Amino acid sequence: MKRSSLWLVPLLLAVMVGGAFWFDRQASKHDREIDVYVTGGRRMAAGEEIYRRGTDGKPFTYPPFAAVPFTLFNLLPASWHAEAWFVVNFVILVLMLRWLHRYATHADTGRGPPRLWWFWLLTAIFGGRHVISVFTNQSHDLTVCGLVALTAAAWGSRRYVGGLWAGLFAGLGAATKATPLIFLGLFGLRRHWLGVVALLSTTLAATLLPDYLFPRADGGSWVQAWYDVNLKGLEVGGTADARGAWNPHSVLNQSLSGATRRLFTPVEVPQADFVVGPKGHVLLLELSPTMVKVVTLALSALVLGAIALGVLFARRAVRAAGDAAAVQRTVSLGEVGAFACGMVLLSPQSSK
């Protein structure tokens, strides 16, 4: 860090300390996601079942690897969990913002594009609320976002080994929340087979790791338990619908399937926290279950088609530019951004 920027250090420390206590107080008014994660980590460390849908107020529904980092929280007093988690998320956010700003700044002049401040202003307006909600709810979305950012940084490298690192980071993301598996499409369309192998290998290794580090007391597999409780009932073209875990009409579900379900089917399981409108729903036009699935699959196909076309045009742009480093980095960031949007849109359940 330059000396002229050292004044930021005490400011960031003050924000971390103050923010930790402030958001802890805000989260105490609602269900805290960190409690779900820490409970899952504690039970995993003891070999107990972590997938208890219908018995816990908010169940742990993520792949088993997602619980591994939270086994370390058992080393801290329970009163420190929220503060420690805020610091982790704040550091991830600061590092991502710093990387994006440096990415947009010209290395030779130290200046960014003339309208760079417009980018940050619009980002704050449209994305600020969603970033703040991560801290308020104390969720783990920024950890997945951080892994996606690392994927973008590695993918922007001109070296072939950059694809290897991109696959590794995307694989860790997939082992944490499954949906980053969509990056297989990026590596496949770009014919970067080392990235494909790295993503699949990392996902498999990280997903199986809990079975060796924290064996279940019943001798079973964490992966099998996760599949049986959380994935078995999901359908292609459907939204997340599981009593005690996901309400199909949840307004927090920002995916295509969730929006389609809310707009074209009446509420089946009324729940005040998850539905909106004067009559408890936002039904525009009632469609049959078959037609809802057709609409969802058609929209999903359009999203996948748009992403695929973007990658093909990006590959052509890189070739036309003679593999210039600046073009490669810009195109790579756009590709990863497109797949990150697809990751959210195509998931059965995507929180805001």
Side-chain angles (χ1 to χ4, degrees), residues 179-216:
T179 49
L181 274 174
I182 193 175
F183 285 105
L184 278 174
L186 172 59
F187 302 138
L189 288 170
R190 278 299 207 112
R191 299 177 185 175
H192 200 300
W193 309 122
L194 187 59
V196 171
V197 172
L199 191 158
L200 292 175
S201 300
T202 303
T203 302
L204 181 62
T207 302
L208 295 177
L209 184 64
D211 285 329
Y212 293 94
L213 293 179
F214 309 104
R216 290 171 58 96

Side-chain angles (χ1 to χ4, degrees), residues 198-245:
L199 191 158
L200 292 175
S201 300
T202 303
T203 302
L204 181 62
T207 302
L208 295 177
L209 184 64
D211 285 329
Y212 293 94
L213 293 179
F214 309 104
R216 290 171 58 96
D218 60 7
S221 168
W222 293 115
V223 183
Q224 187 64 44
W226 174 57
Y227 174 80
D228 289 341
V229 176
N230 299 291
L231 299 187
K232 207 170 184 179
L234 296 180
E235 299 179 356
V236 176
T239 189
D241 181 2
R243 186 174 297 275

Side-chain angles (χ1 to χ4, degrees), residues 295-321:
V295 171
T296 303
L297 290 175
L299 292 174
S300 300
L302 285 175
V303 170
L304 288 173
I307 294 173
L309 283 176
V311 172
L312 294 177
F313 280 118
R315 186 171 63 182
R316 186 177 301 175
V318 171
R319 289 177 179 176

Side-chain angles (χ1 to χ4, degrees), residues 57-142:
K58 184 173 179 58
F60 188 91
T61 58
Y62 307 101
F65 179 73
V68 173
F70 294 96
T71 59
L72 300 176
F73 275 69
N74 295 311
L75 303 176
L76 298 173
S79 58
W80 290 15
H81 290 166
E83 286 78 5
W85 189 230
F86 174 87
V87 171
V88 170
N89 281 281
F90 184 74
V91 170
I92 293 174
L93 178 62
V94 169
L95 291 176
M96 284 197 301
L97 294 179
R98 183 172 181 269
W99 168 68
L100 281 171
H101 193 76
R102 291 187 63 187
Y103 174 90
T105 303
H106 297 295
D108 53 345
T109 64
R111 290 176 156 184
R115 296 181 178 84
L116 180 60
W117 68 275
W118 270 109
F119 164 77
W120 286 117
L121 177 62
L122 293 174
T123 298
I125 292 174
F126 290 106
R129 174 175 177 269
H130 300 285
V131 174
I132 291 175
S133 72
V134 174
F135 289 100
T136 302
N137 299 327
Q138 297 181 351
S139 62
H140 76 328
D141 297 276
L142 274 175

